[in-house]
Amino acid sequence: MSEVQPLSGNWLSERTHLRKSLRRADVTFYLLCTLVGLDTIGSVAAHGPQGLVWMVILAAVFFLPYGFLTTELGTAFPVEGGPYVWTKLAYGRLAAGVNQVLYWLSNPLWTGGTLAIIAVTTFETFFLPLGMAGKHIAGLAFIWTGVLAVAASLRIGKWVPIAGAFARIVLLGFFMVSVVVYAVKNGVQPLSGADFVPTWAGFVVLVPVLIFNYVGFELPSTATEEMTDPQRTVPFAILRSGIAAFLLYGGPILGILLVVPASQIQGLGGFIDAAKQVLTVYGGSVAADGTVTLTGVGAVLGSVCAAGLIVGVLTSGVSWAIGAHRAQAVACADGAGPAYLGRLSPRHGTPVRVNVLSGLLASIVLVTALNLSDGDSEKYFTAGLALVISTTFISYLLTFPSMLVLRRRMPDVRRPFRAPFAVLTTVLTTGLVAFTVVVLIWPPELPSSFAGERAQYTLSQVVPLLIVIGIGFLFYALGSPTRARDVTSASA
């Protein structure tokens, strides 16, 4: 990679604050925390057993090719910033800068949106009602706890996603064991073979959520220069975390389907409701109307699991923020954004300024969405999740094809790993994310929480997307002084 100098002199001075902190095991658990999002398990289960079938199909036609693609790019171009660097080398700084803003801003939208509401809803379900004011306070506390975690040096901060990975393994593992105990004691919901038959309607509804479950492989490459031997670490971590993530998704989704009647599963509360019902085997009861009451040991374990779920969604936001914030800081230092945001903390080596700005934006998203939806958590969750997925996936429309572009433009760069069937890999991954963006912005059938409100739903997606793209162009304009200094230095 020594023959390629993709970043400006301004970043080259900032990179001196970086420290090698990520080992192979660290990256594997970091990826596991990134890939296994506890906020979407209920959304898949809400569409019945065919969700499991589509999960397997998409593992073959998206997850595997996506792993090949990001492994090639991450090992061929091991430079801090990952996706920003790949897209800059492929398409130039303007396209990469706008693309990176989309990728970055999806994180505060996600944290202030779906993750915060999952945490708040879980707290209310297992502990006590919060009311509107309480939801604001709890949501803001959730957001700024994540901000503090991301601001820490990577040597310390990496333990947050590592702890999140272990929390997922313990929480989901305990849930599956409890499902078995529950099944032995109470029986399970009958699932017919016809329920597993994949349908086009199921494909349209499930693909966005399932593919969102499967993304995140590129995140460790945003911290490549803080990684020990990235050209060996990246392939190792992607392979092992990918297999583990597939298993950790499939088991709990099946467990929910076996425990909760299909008519009662909601996207937001699916996992929470299933966990509460399953835990009645340790103490509690289910009333005729479906109301669940936990007592004794069941109530204690319910509280423990609730805390684990809140930790799980918090660490999801932190793991994505660690990568997305670094990539944005690299872009700003490189002249694709304001130089002020391209500075790293000399003490911690982290992009504290980007991190704080993200926390402020996430707080605005939380407060705005709670008030616009009048506290309707399911409606808030639906709109927020769709917006996060489409914002992230629009950025992938440039990132994924960059592999083929760079093979043509830079054929002499050493590639320790070459993705097999490169054209097919690119077509499958890019085509599926493009399809996802279209059906999220204009779904053939509106989500139930937006029934009869096509205009309101469309505005909830299109207006924020246009604002984010506008911010991308604004950032590029604010980066002009950095670009001018680079030109002056090159001509001196």
Side-chain angles (χ1 to χ4, degrees):
M1 192 56 198
S2 59
E3 71 274 23
V4 179
Q5 297 294 338
L7 300 173
S8 72
N10 196 40
W11 168 251
L12 297 180
S13 63
E14 290 298 320
R15 71 191 297 188
T16 60
H17 303 310
L18 301 177
R19 300 289 182 271
K20 296 284 187 183
S21 303
L22 293 175
R23 299 168 299 174
R24 186 176 294 183
D26 298 333
V27 178
T28 302
F29 284 112
Y30 171 80
L31 264 179
L32 187 59
C33 180
T34 300
L35 292 169
V36 182
L38 299 175
D39 55 321
T40 53
I41 289 176
S43 297
V44 178
H47 297 285
Q50 69 168 306
L52 284 172
V53 178
W54 282 119
M55 189 184 81
V56 173
I57 294 172
L58 287 170
V61 301
F62 178 82
F63 199 35
L64 187 60
Y66 166 57
F68 289 153
L69 184 150
T70 49
T71 299
E72 174 169 330
L73 289 169
T75 55
F77 303 96
V79 180
E80 193 87 359
Y84 169 74
V85 174
W86 308 337
T87 52
K88 180 190 175 183
L89 291 173
Y91 314 109
R93 186 155 34 189
L94 173 58
V98 175
N99 202 56
Q100 176 53 43
V101 168
L102 281 160
Y103 189 72
W104 161 55
L105 284 180
S106 66
N107 184 259
L109 289 172
W110 189 39
T111 302
T114 56
L115 296 185
I117 204 62
I118 280 279
V120 169
T121 302
T122 300
F123 187 90
E124 288 191 306
T125 300
F126 283 92
F127 297 104
L128 53 89
L130 292 171
M132 187 58 115
K135 287 182 179 181
H136 282 77
I137 294 170
L140 290 171
F142 176 88
I143 289 167
W144 287 95
T145 299
V147 169
L148 291 174
V150 179
S153 67
L154 193 57
R155 180 177 59 85
I156 297 172
K158 70 180 182 181
W159 290 103
V160 175
I162 290 173
F166 279 105
R168 283 158 171 74
I169 294 170
V170 173
L171 177 64
L172 297 178
F174 177 70
F175 174 73
M176 288 308 301
V177 170
S178 299
V179 166
V180 173
V181 176
Y182 183 92
V184 170
K185 183 176 180 180
N186 301 300
V188 296
Q189 298 297 319
L191 300 176
S192 69
D195 294 332
F196 289 87
V197 176
T199 65
W200 171 251
F203 176 78
V204 171
V205 174
L206 283 165
V207 160
V209 178
L210 285 170
I211 294 183
F212 186 61
N213 285 347
Y214 281 151
V215 297
F217 278 148
E218 72 283 349
L219 279 167
S221 293
T222 63
T224 293
E225 295 176 41
E226 299 167 83
M227 193 184 301
T228 302
D229 193 6
Q231 293 182 324
R232 292 180 179 272
T233 296
V234 168
F236 177 94
I238 285 178
L239 174 63
R240 283 154 181 78
S241 64
I243 295 171
F246 177 79
L247 296 175
L248 285 173
Y249 272 128
I253 291 171
L254 178 60
I256 293 174
L257 293 172
L258 291 173
V259 172
V260 182
S263 60
Q264 297 179 17
I265 302 174
Q266 288 187 313
L268 173 59
F271 182 73
I272 300 171
D273 294 340
K276 194 171 182 180
Q277 184 159 330
V278 164
L279 291 175
T280 58
V281 298
Y282 306 110
S285 61
V286 181
D289 63 355
T291 302
V292 179
T293 303
L294 293 176
T295 58
V297 176
V300 173
L301 290 175
S303 299
V304 172
C305 288
L309 182 58
I310 293 171
V311 169
V313 295
L314 174 65
T315 54
S316 285
V318 169
S319 63
W320 273 86
I322 286 173
H325 294 184
R326 275 169 167 72
Q328 186 59 49
V330 170
C332 290
D334 187 50
Y340 176 82
L341 295 177
R343 301 291 300 275
L344 298 182
S345 164
R347 180 179 179 184
H348 302 296
T350 55
V352 173
R353 294 175 179 179
V354 173
N355 186 33
V356 171
L357 178 58
S358 296
L360 292 172
L361 293 173
S363 299
I364 293 171
V365 169
L366 172 73
V367 173
T368 302
L370 276 176
N371 286 281
L372 287 178
S373 62
D374 296 321
D376 185 342
S377 296
E378 184 69 29
K379 193 169 190 176
Y380 175 25
F381 176 81
T382 300
L385 182 60
L387 179 61
V388 168
I389 296 173
S390 58
T391 305
T392 306
F393 283 16
I394 290 173
S395 75
Y396 286 148
L397 294 177
L398 282 186
T399 303
F400 289 173
S402 65
M403 180 184 72
L404 283 182
V405 174
L406 291 173
R407 279 196 183 186
R408 187 182 70 251
R409 294 188 62 181
M410 298 181 174
D412 297 330
V413 170
R414 188 176 78 87
R415 290 167 168 79
F417 177 88
R418 291 181 68 88
F421 311 108
V423 173
L424 179 61
T425 291
T426 302
V427 169
L428 284 173
T429 53
T430 308
L432 283 167
V433 297
F435 175 82
T436 296
V437 170
V438 171
V439 298
L440 283 174
I441 294 176
W442 194 267
E445 183 177 345
L446 286 170
S448 58
S449 55
F450 280 92
E453 299 178 350
R454 169 73 67 177
Q456 185 178 348
Y457 175 83
T458 303
L459 288 174
S460 76
Q461 304 302 303
V462 173
V463 172
L465 282 172
L466 292 175
I467 292 173
V468 170
I469 293 171
I471 292 172
F473 282 101
L474 174 62
F475 267 38
Y476 187 77
L478 294 174
S480 59
T482 301
R483 299 193 299 274
R485 283 195 299 271
D486 279 351
V487 172
T488 302
S489 299
S491 60

